[in-house]
Amino acid sequence: VQLVESGGGLVQAGGSLKLSCAMSGSLLNINRMGWYRQAPGKERELVAAITSGGGSTHYVDSVKGRFTLSRDNAKNTMYLQMNSLKPEDTAVYFCNVLRVSWSLTEYEYWGQGTQVTVSS
């Protein structure tokens, strides 16, 4: 599985950005897909994720009501719409996919990351 993010950039507080994650390769048996972020000096954190089983979407509390994860299965692309951005949203955002094989082996894939900078 290959993941390529795009859409990051510099935006003023209150603005919006839409990140895209183009997925290719073996996309069977995907258990979960989502977005993580890592700010300087901080650990990587899960921002939003959707599970393939129930289709439920999880958001970290700090982005609830502002960020929306979506996907276009026909285009094999996942999106993260980010509205009302705050300076504390500044981070490198990573696309993530968890795939479980028929033998129940887990494989986790990461994109290269895209920088999001929110100025105050």
Side-chain angles (χ1 to χ4, degrees):
V1 175
Q2 293 79 44
L3 307 173
V4 179
E5 301 103 332
S6 60
L10 173 63
V11 64
Q12 289 187 335
S16 298
L17 283 174
K18 186 174 184 177
L19 305 183
S20 299
C21 174
M23 300 178 285
S24 61
S26 177
L27 301 179
L28 296 176
N29 302 324
I30 290 179
N31 180 266
R32 186 195 71 219
M33 59 178 69
W35 293 90
Y36 284 72
R37 67 184 179 187
Q38 187 166 20
K42 295 187 177 181
E43 293 187 354
R44 191 172 296 190
E45 69 168 347
L46 177 64
V47 177
I50 186 168
T51 57
S52 60
S56 61
T57 306
H58 164 81
Y59 296 95
V60 67
D61 286 346
S62 59
V63 308
K64 284 181 180 177
R66 300 188 298 122
F67 289 13
T68 303
L69 185 155
S70 63
R71 58 182 176 176
D72 185 332
N73 292 330
K75 295 182 178 180
N76 289 332
T77 302
M78 179 174 59
Y79 304 97
L80 185 67
Q81 176 67 47
M82 306 185 294
N83 298 327
S84 303
L85 283 162
K86 304 176 181 180
E88 50 264 43
D89 294 319
T90 295
V92 178
Y93 284 71
F94 297 90
C95 178
N96 172 271
V97 165
L98 177 67
R99 189 169 67 87
V100 181
S101 72
W102 298 113
S103 62
L104 301 181
T105 301
E106 293 187 349
Y107 299 89
E108 193 166 26
Y109 304 90
W110 296 91
Q112 82 285 355
T114 185
Q115 176 71 46
V116 171
T117 303
V118 184
S119 63
S120 57

